């Protein structure tokens, strides 16, 4: 009986604490994506805008000019694929978006993550169906 009572008290306490936590808007882009960069800053891209948070301050960052999937990579970030299938890859080097090695296949909406400093891109839609491949990007060799 005591265990149930203490469990209920703990749940009530947690609910009270969590009710006090709120999400506050930091930026107001449509369709925004954000990644943490290796230098500790945060890069947000979406809605025709890009911003970078350094410390507690948001700074304007060049807009990549298109949509895609954002993923952290060694030395910056990558924007891969597109809203429509695209093989184009752009790399943010901390100052500007520059072309990087293209994907082997044009995809829209792939999933992406960083593993051991490499960008891993998987899946997505192609012009004819679904991409079932996984690709790994090496920043040092741009491949």
């Amino acid at each position: 009986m005591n265990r149930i009572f203490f469990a209920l008290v703990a749940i009530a306490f947690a609910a009270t604490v969590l009710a006090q936590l709120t999400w506050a808007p930091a930026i107001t882009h449509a369709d925004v994506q954000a990644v943490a960069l290796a230098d500790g800053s945060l890069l947000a891209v979406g809605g025709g805008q890009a911003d970078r948070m350094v410390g507690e301050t948001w700074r304007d960052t060049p807009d990549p000019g298109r949509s895609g999937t954002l993923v952290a990579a060694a030395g910056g970030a990558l924007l891969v694929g597109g809203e429509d299938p695209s093989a184009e890859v752009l790399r943010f080097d901390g100052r500007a978006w520059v072309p990087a090695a293209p994907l082997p296949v044009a995809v829209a909406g792939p999933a992406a993550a960083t593993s051991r400093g490499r960008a891993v891109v998987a899946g997505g839609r192609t012009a004819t169906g679904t991409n079932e491949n996984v690709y790994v990007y090496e920043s040092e060799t741009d491949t």
Side-chain angles (χ1 to χ4, degrees), residues 18-48:
L18 291 175
Q20 295 174 17
L21 300 176
T22 60
W23 288 86
I27 55 176
T28 55
H29 296 315
D31 302 321
V32 71
Q33 298 181 62
V35 293
L37 301 180
D39 65 4
S41 65
L42 180 70
L43 177 65
V45 175

Side-chain angles (χ1 to χ4, degrees), residues 24-35 42-52 58 63-64 66-71 79:
I27 55 176
T28 55
H29 296 315
D31 302 321
V32 71
Q33 298 181 62
V35 293
L42 180 70
L43 177 65
V45 175
Q49 294 179 290
D51 291 295
R52 186 171 175 198
W58 284 101
D63 177 25
R66 67 178 192 79
S67 64
T69 300
L70 189 62
V71 61
L79 190 65

Side-chain angles (χ1 to χ4, degrees), residues 4-129:
I4 295 173
F5 174 76
F6 286 116
L8 291 174
V9 169
I11 291 170
F13 175 75
T16 302
V17 170
L18 291 175
Q20 295 174 17
L21 300 176
T22 60
W23 288 86
I27 55 176
T28 55
H29 296 315
D31 302 321
V32 71
Q33 298 181 62
V35 293
L37 301 180
D39 65 4
S41 65
L42 180 70
L43 177 65
V45 175
Q49 294 179 290
D51 291 295
R52 186 171 175 198
M53 180 181 261
V54 179
E56 297 295 318
T57 306
W58 284 101
R59 298 182 182 166
D60 284 339
T61 302
D63 177 25
R66 67 178 192 79
S67 64
T69 300
L70 189 62
V71 61
L78 298 175
L79 190 65
V80 298
E83 188 175 311
D84 294 318
S86 173
E88 183 181 19
V89 176
L90 296 176
R91 182 175 55 85
F92 181 70
D93 63 7
R95 295 179 312 280
W97 292 95
V98 295
L103 289 169
V105 64
V107 295
T114 304
S115 177
R116 298 180 184 164
R118 300 175 182 150
V120 180
V121 179
R125 297 180 324 277
T126 67
T128 59

